[in-house]
Amino acid sequence: MESEAFISWLVINKKLSKRSAKDVYCRLKRIIKLSNVSNIESVKFDDFIKSNNFLQQTMFVKSQLKRAFYLYLEYGDKK
């Protein structure tokens, strides 16, 4: 994934601040780490939200991770 392109898309299209956009990108990296894969394209959303690594997170963190994933999926559709 091209981090700068994704961050720019968030800033321009979703009207996020640069810092918030970087936070979303960091959450995607966290999803990759929790899923034990090498890139976000390898993560299947349904499998991820049923995984123990995801379920062990706090409700707040789960919400942030889901939102980051949804934003990435929307970005993929717009490319």
Side-chain angles (χ1 to χ4, degrees), residues 32-65:
I32 292 168
K33 184 176 178 181
L34 289 172
S35 300
N36 295 318
V37 295
S38 58
N39 59 47
I40 194 70
E41 290 85 12
S42 301
V43 179
K44 292 182 177 35
F45 181 74
D46 292 334
D47 293 340
F48 175 67
I49 61 171
K50 293 176 186 172
S51 71
N52 284 335
N53 287 337
F54 176 77
L55 295 173
Q56 291 173 351
Q57 305 302 312
T58 65
M59 185 181 292
F60 183 69
V61 171
K62 286 188 230 182
S63 174
Q64 290 177 330
L65 295 176

Side-chain angles (χ1 to χ4, degrees), residues 11-28:
V11 170
I12 294 166
N13 296 300
K14 292 298 176 180
K15 308 295 187 232
L16 296 179
S17 69
K18 184 88 167 172
R19 182 178 174 128
S20 294
K22 286 182 180 182
D23 286 344
V24 171
Y25 180 72
C26 287
R27 290 182 191 116
L28 287 178

